[in-house]
Amino acid sequence: MAHADPDLLTLLALGEPVPDESVEDHLRTCATCRSELAALREVAGIGRETRVERDLPMPSEDVWSRIAAETGQDTSSVVPLRPRRWRAFLAVAAAAAVIGAAGAIAVDRVTTAPVAAEQVLARVDLARLAAAPGSARGSARVVRTDGRTVLRVSVDGMPAPDGLYQVWLFDGAATMIPLGVLTNGQADMPVPDTVDLNTYRVVDVSAQRWGQQEHGTSMLQGQLS
Ligand SMILES: [Zn+2]
């Protein structure tokens, strides 16, 4: 089971409604995510005026110390978290920091770092196929970022695979292109410029046995739009 989406944890920490109820279920059973949420809430506690939702490069130690200094919050519990988590922390830290003029300096420091603006070109909610359990769900987005096109896939509620889950682009007829494998239900997979997404519109997530070369068993599928 994948951990809770950091963006959803951010929403929870900021006291905003969360569209996905399974997050709350997950929190009940996962101490890791609970402690991350607690750390985020602690930071969010001193302000919730604004949120930073852009993808930013990982802040340096300097920036972390400044955030800590400017907001009076201890960031040491957050910094060692998994790399994806820093973004959620940054959002609540920024929310907290804009409260005071001094805090605004920290926000400025962070948001003026080179920004990798993202453009979502297409998206789809993946439909569960017969082989997948009732809890299975997923989504895919085609994102343009840093001058390249990336297929971002996220799945949840899937059983631990007896092998791995692989993501494919499918032309709906005969040809499937393997793009990459999911790690903890997630992956960002570069799409080669030579692949025409108007032709390969179908995103397929398959269960693969170890070493299986050909396409395995489709679990989730959807057509980009
Ligand atoms: Zn978790």
Side-chain angles (χ1 to χ4, degrees), residues 1-4 9 26-27 29-34 36 82 85:
M1 171 79 79
H3 282 298
L9 288 183
H26 177 78
L27 284 167
T29 59
C30 179
T32 304
C33 286
R34 274 202 307 276
E36 289 178 17
R82 291 188 300 283
R85 302 283 157 169

Side-chain angles (χ1 to χ4, degrees), residues 86-167:
W86 74 270
R87 209 153 54 89
F89 172 75
L90 184 57
V92 292
V98 293
I99 284 301
I105 296 167
V107 174
D108 225 31
R109 274 287 297 260
V110 173
T111 56
T112 53
V115 172
E118 285 194 354
Q119 185 186 4
V120 177
L121 303 178
R123 71 180 76 214
V124 62
D125 286 330
L126 302 177
R128 178 167 46 84
L129 301 184
S135 59
R137 70 183 94 190
S139 63
R141 291 177 191 192
V142 177
V143 177
R144 188 77 186 163
T145 180
D146 272 340
R148 63 181 193 164
T149 302
V150 170
L151 183 68
R152 178 171 298 160
V153 172
S154 172
V155 307
D156 197 10
M158 303 270 271
D162 183 27
L164 47 79
Y165 289 123
Q166 182 156 356
V167 178

Side-chain angles (χ1 to χ4, degrees), residues 28-109:
R28 247 168 253 132
T29 59
C30 179
T32 304
C33 286
R34 274 202 307 276
S35 71
E36 289 178 17
L37 178 60
L40 291 168
R41 275 195 170 133
E42 192 178 319
V43 178
I46 62 171
R48 53 190 56 169
E49 296 298 317
T50 194
R51 293 175 47 218
V52 175
E53 295 191 276
R54 279 177 287 179
D55 275 330
L56 304 175
M58 184 72 172
S60 66
E61 285 294 325
D62 271 348
V63 174
W64 283 118
S65 339
R66 282 185 64 90
I67 289 174
E70 307 285 354
T71 64
Q73 297 296 308
D74 178 14
T75 57
S76 60
S77 62
V78 184
V79 175
L81 300 176
R82 291 188 300 283
R84 261 184 69 99
R85 302 283 157 169
W86 74 270
R87 209 153 54 89
F89 172 75
L90 184 57
V92 292
V98 293
I99 284 301
I105 296 167
V107 174
D108 225 31
R109 274 287 297 260

